[in-house]
Amino acid sequence: MDMLNDPALMAFRDEVRAFLEVNLPDGIRRAAARATSVFIDPAISLPWQRILHEKGWAAPDWPAEHGGPGWGEIERYIFAAECARAGAPNLAPMGLKMVAPVIMHYGSPDQRAHYLPRILSGDDYWCQGFSEPGAGSDLAALQLRAVPDGDDYILNGSKIWTTHAHFANRMFALVRTSTEGKPQAGISFLLLDMETPGITVEPIRTLAGDHEFNQVFFDDVRVPQANRLGGENEGWSVAKHLLTFERGGKYAPGLIGRLEQLRRRSDPDPVLRAALDREAVTLRALQALELKAMRGVGGSPALYASALKILGTEAAQRIDTLACEALGHAAWAEADGQAPAELAVAVPRYLNDRAATIYAGSNEIQRDLIARTMLG
Ligand SMILES: Cc1cc2nc3c(=O)[nH]c(=O)nc-3n(C[C@H](O)[C@H](O)[C@H](O)COP(=O)(O)OP(=O)(O)OC[C@H]3O[C@@H](n4cnc5c(N)ncnc54)[C@H](O)[C@@H]3O)c2cc1C
């Protein structure tokens, strides 16, 4: 954040930095450094969320009325940059960043009062039930049926690629409540309890060997209609609202932290060093664009969200490649053949990050959205 020279912002940065120095436990920081995915195991992320919650900093993006710290955009960015610099783990986005804003926007007073405090404290851990075996990029093709029965819906079908469903006690899901008219017009948005009878979670292993996502089966699952967010058959608008939060974001702080760690290494292969320097410049440009998006300078939030998703995830994959190259150089140099600690996760991260250009809407789809918005 060397572009900021406002004394009040620098004082804020120092306050955050000092808090992190004292309150981020070493064990959590070390576990986060060993993580191979952006989706951090809740055994690591939830204890950190609770420490932040006690300070009132668990949800930097939330308005103060719902328990956020009441920061402006730049303070939030500084906070993210300082957390990345200190090596703090990412908090799970499904509750805090994805479903919470739509509960604030579309939820009834009862739904807000029930769910928001439990998301903030980490008492509820959420997963996202959007994709299905026949509905990914073409999400509106989803088929999981929700048929009204008294005050409930009865659900049958399945969701796939459901990140952390094996940890979650809640799911937000898109379900089909009508087959009439356009596919988008027959979708509703439900909040589910994962303990409900009839829900089965089956693991899917990733290319890197991790158990990160799942297929979730619904067999006559009874869900109260009161758990619907927004009107019946109006779930598509809720989903579109949510996807802006899923895609938008602050990629640069974490990536700059990772790249700086690689640049601090001493093996001075000139070709690798030049590539690292070039990437550092690209990341500064990404950071400038993220700050511009935050200030709302030119362009719609959805357009920025798509552009930043492409630029951030592709930069992450380039850094993964550079980390593997650095690992290769280090392997030659180390007499005992042991990879240096900071490079030990280079290959699993490289493999895991192949998914980054697919999830949250593939980068091809984001390019398509930008083209359609810009070119009409
Ligand atoms: C690690 C990971 C975690 C995920 N977590 C979740 C989760 O928690 N919850 C959830 O609901 N989903 C999750 N997903 C699913 C994710 O949202 C989908 O994988 C994504 O939307 C793509 O859908 P698909 O896999 O069915 O691929 P498809 O839609 O079949 O696409 C296959 C390929 O074709 C391309 N393509 C498709 N349509 C077009 C088009 N019109 N123009 C150009 N190219 C096109 C795509 O870009 C892609 O390269 C996750 C995925 C991954 C990889």
Side-chain angles (χ1 to χ4, degrees):
M1 299 305 297
D2 44 21
M3 64 179 75
L4 298 172
N5 49 16
D6 177 312
L9 291 177
M10 283 168 80
F12 174 76
R13 183 200 61 188
D14 293 345
E15 183 194 347
V16 173
R17 197 170 282 187
F19 173 82
L20 289 165
E21 263 164 30
V22 174
N23 292 284
L24 175 60
D26 232 26
I28 293 185
R29 196 178 42 73
R30 276 201 306 274
R34 284 194 301 272
T36 54
S37 169
V38 291
F39 299 109
I40 304 285
D41 191 315
I44 304 167
S45 68
L46 279 179
W48 177 231
Q49 179 170 335
R50 293 197 181 103
I51 293 170
L52 289 174
H53 179 47
E54 213 166 287
K55 175 77 176 162
W57 289 359
D61 301 331
W62 289 24
E65 60 172 305
H66 294 303
W71 293 336
E73 299 282 10
I74 301 295
E75 281 87 352
R76 288 180 227 163
Y77 202 86
I78 292 172
F79 180 73
E82 289 303 315
C83 286
R85 182 180 174 275
N90 296 334
L91 301 186
M94 288 78 85
L96 288 165
K97 291 194 176 159
M98 291 162 64
V99 78
V102 293
I103 291 176
M104 288 174 205
H105 193 85
Y106 294 94
S108 65
D110 282 352
Q111 286 172 329
R112 288 185 207 169
H114 177 72
Y115 290 112
L116 294 176
R118 299 176 60 82
I119 294 175
L120 205 53
S121 62
D123 288 347
D124 281 345
Y125 193 83
W126 288 79
C127 63
Q128 176 189 27
F130 279 17
S131 306
E132 295 182 10
S137 302
D138 183 13
L139 186 58
L142 65 93
Q143 294 298 332
L144 193 148
R145 279 312 304 265
V147 177
D149 184 63
D151 290 339
D152 299 333
Y153 290 114
I154 309 275
L155 271 55
N156 280 287
S158 95
K159 293 290 173 185
I160 199 165
W161 318 124
T162 322
T163 301
H164 287 192
H166 52 306
F167 297 126
N169 66 333
R170 304 271 167 204
M171 172 190 277
F172 55 92
L174 293 177
V175 298
R176 180 149 304 284
T177 35
S178 167
T179 50
E180 305 289 316
K182 278 175 59 177
Q184 288 85 345
I187 292 172
S188 300
F189 193 108
L190 293 186
L191 308 172
L192 310 172
D193 182 342
M194 290 294 281
E195 295 296 319
T196 316
I199 297 181
T200 315
V201 178
E202 296 284 348
I204 302 175
R205 295 267 161 203
T206 67
L207 181 67
D210 303 320
H211 175 199
E212 185 169 296
F213 49 29
N214 305 272
Q215 184 160 9
V216 183
F217 296 90
F218 295 78
D219 192 7
D220 286 334
V221 174
R222 193 169 274 278
V223 178
Q225 294 195 21
N227 287 21
R228 199 183 58 232
L229 199 63
E232 189 170 80
N233 298 324
E234 290 171 9
W236 191 247
S237 308
V238 186
K240 281 201 298 187
H241 192 78
L242 184 146
L243 284 171
T244 310
F245 295 102
E246 182 178 3
R247 283 176 200 145
K250 308 170 180 74
Y251 292 91
L255 295 176
I256 288 171
R258 280 188 65 199
L259 190 74
E260 288 312 314
Q261 205 184 35
L262 287 176
R263 291 174 88 208
R264 274 198 297 274
R265 290 188 50 75
S266 56
D267 39 13
D269 172 76
V271 177
L272 178 58
R273 191 143 292 282
L276 292 169
D277 290 346
R278 228 183 353 262
E279 200 54 49
V281 175
T282 312
L283 289 184
R284 292 294 164 183
L286 176 62
Q287 184 179 57
L289 195 65
E290 287 179 350
L291 287 165
K292 221 172 132 180
M294 253 176 227
R295 295 188 187 111
V297 182
S300 72
L303 205 57
Y304 268 124
S306 292
L308 294 175
K309 201 260 164 175
I310 295 169
L311 295 169
T313 52
E314 293 182 358
Q317 292 183 345
R318 287 196 303 275
I319 292 170
D320 290 329
T321 304
L322 291 170
C324 289
E325 282 185 37
L327 178 67
H329 284 283
W332 281 107
E334 305 288 327
D336 60 3
Q338 293 286 314
E342 75 274 23
L343 292 179
V345 291
V347 173
R349 267 199 188 172
Y350 174 93
L351 293 174
N352 193 291
D353 260 348
R354 299 302 91 196
T357 45
I358 302 171
Y359 56 66
S362 77
N363 285 19
E364 289 80 10
I365 296 294
Q366 303 313 312
R367 287 192 159 86
D368 204 29
L369 286 171
I370 294 170
R372 265 189 281 154
T373 311
M374 301 296 286
L375 306 174

